[in-house]
Amino acid sequence: MTTHPNMGGVGAAESRACQTERSAVGCFLGSTGGRSTLETPWPELVRPSSQIGVSSWHALPYAVAQGTQPSWPGGSMMEQLQKLVVRYGDYRQKPVRFRPETWRSRLELHGAAHVLSIGVGCVNGPSGDRLISRGDLADLRDRVDDDPDGLRDLFVAVMIWGSGTTNGRGPRYTEAALSDTRMPAVLRTTRQAVRDGDLSRAYEQFALSGVRRSFFTKWFAAVDDRDATCERALILDDRVFRSLNALGWSSWKAAGTRRWPTRYAAYVSSVHGWASSLGVTADWLEWLLFHLNGRVGEP
């Protein structure tokens, strides 16, 4: 199977060595404020298979990540994912449109309005709109050192990219985070945890006003500059969640724990395992799940 271009992740040259072992447990993560309503258990769809040889379906994620084919109605999850990869193999993630003037007043108060020049101007649509891509985030990441203002600028760019023109709350939530006195320490420590390959620790450490899982996992993905052979951080937002649920996954049962940081790290490891088996990149597969938004069975 042809490997598709990496459209879901950071595109700059990678330099850091992998500093973490791969986890074989497969699961995904709910919202930070308790179990998400999107995370509906599907026990009737996930049952042990004689091919796996276990009595508890807690081991199913491990088997799927290793390429073993559990059985459930409609075929195994890997079979479903393979069909989706074939169907959407030519799809690519596009840059995100944003409106600088929507953000300007919120950012000027914190000396971060210059970030609004990121990306390129739109050739059509409302005057002043710009386009920002994950490649733009990678370029900015590679220019950022340990300077708090540089990390703040990268965080703002991530929030802009994650909000686009459809999330009207993005500027307000970003301002709330910028006003949080914990920001310098949180951005510094979570970036280091990601670089150390300790995604569970990064998840535990991230606490800023206005920023929850859908956005702080975007921060993790943006700052992860480890070697491409590592299991780099991935985004887990509600759209990815819907697709995983539609494929029959329940995070707390798959992980055997309700501990969110552990479930996020295991989600990342599982997607990397699935992507390797399917001949695609993990961040492209993450983006595909985002793109589908739960519509995994539609043509």
Side-chain angles (χ1 to χ4, degrees):
M1 182 179 298
T2 303
T3 299
H4 299 292
N6 177 357
M7 299 305 297
V10 202
E14 310 297 345
S15 60
R16 295 179 60 84
C18 182
Q19 301 177 41
T20 183
E21 294 181 356
R22 297 193 174 194
S23 168
V25 181
C27 63
F28 64 96
L29 170 67
S31 66
T32 57
R35 186 173 162 212
S36 169
T37 55
L38 291 174
E39 190 197 1
T40 305
W42 291 53
E44 71 280 6
L45 293 184
V46 187
R47 54 174 68 97
S49 166
S50 59
Q51 297 174 344
I52 301 175
V54 294
S55 58
S56 169
W57 61 282
H58 287 177
L60 276 172
Y62 177 88
V64 173
Q66 299 303 313
T68 306
Q69 301 297 308
S71 60
W72 52 42
S76 74
M77 180 176 179
M78 289 302 292
E79 290 171 341
Q80 295 180 67
L81 284 174
Q82 185 171 24
K83 291 176 182 177
L84 292 170
V85 167
V86 171
R87 183 186 306 164
Y88 294 98
D90 293 332
Y91 281 56
R92 299 294 180 265
Q93 186 174 21
K94 297 179 180 178
V96 175
R97 179 190 293 266
F98 73 98
R99 200 150 291 154
E101 293 311 309
T102 303
W103 292 80
R104 193 170 304 280
S105 63
R106 304 277 188 177
L107 300 183
E108 283 178 339
L109 296 174
H110 302 276
H114 58 276
V115 179
L116 296 172
S117 64
I118 195 171
V120 297
C122 294
V123 296
N124 51 39
S127 176
D129 281 9
R130 299 184 67 81
L131 296 174
I132 179 174
S133 69
R134 286 180 93 158
D136 293 321
L137 298 181
D139 291 341
L140 181 57
R141 178 203 66 202
D142 291 343
R143 298 196 302 270
V144 168
D145 51 24
D146 293 326
D147 174 61
D149 289 343
L151 292 177
R152 175 207 61 195
D153 291 350
L154 178 56
F155 172 79
V156 169
V158 169
M159 295 295 288
I160 292 172
W161 175 79
S163 300
T165 58
T166 59
N167 186 348
R169 296 167 295 181
R172 174 162 51 93
Y173 289 158
T174 302
E175 182 181 13
L178 290 170
S179 301
D180 194 324
T181 57
R182 297 172 294 179
M183 171 172 274
V186 168
L187 297 186
R188 183 183 69 255
T189 57
T190 55
R191 182 183 69 157
Q192 188 58 53
V194 169
R195 286 175 152 185
D196 290 342
D198 194 343
L199 300 183
S200 178
R201 176 162 57 94
Y203 190 96
E204 288 177 331
Q205 292 176 339
F206 200 101
L208 284 179
S209 300
V211 187
R212 298 184 69 184
R213 168 184 46 79
S214 289
F215 277 86
F216 68 66
T217 57
K218 291 178 174 67
W219 165 254
F220 296 163
V223 299
D224 198 339
D225 58 357
R226 292 176 294 155
D227 187 87
T229 60
C230 298
E231 290 181 348
R232 290 185 290 189
L234 299 171
I235 298 167
L236 184 56
D237 58 19
D238 288 346
R239 292 174 63 103
V240 173
F241 229 144
R242 291 187 187 101
S243 294
L244 290 168
N245 269 319
L247 288 167
W249 283 91
S250 170
S251 66
W252 67 274
K253 288 193 174 183
T257 178
R258 294 183 182 273
R259 186 174 179 272
W260 297 121
T262 302
R263 291 151 85 171
Y264 171 66
Y267 152 78
V268 171
S269 183
S270 295
V271 174
H272 277 274
W274 302 334
S276 177
S277 297
L278 294 165
V280 299
T281 61
D283 31 22
W284 185 86
L285 184 58
E286 165 229 288
W287 171 78
L288 177 61
L289 295 171
F290 168 87
H291 174 75
L292 294 173
N293 194 21
R295 300 183 301 271
V296 299
E298 297 180 10

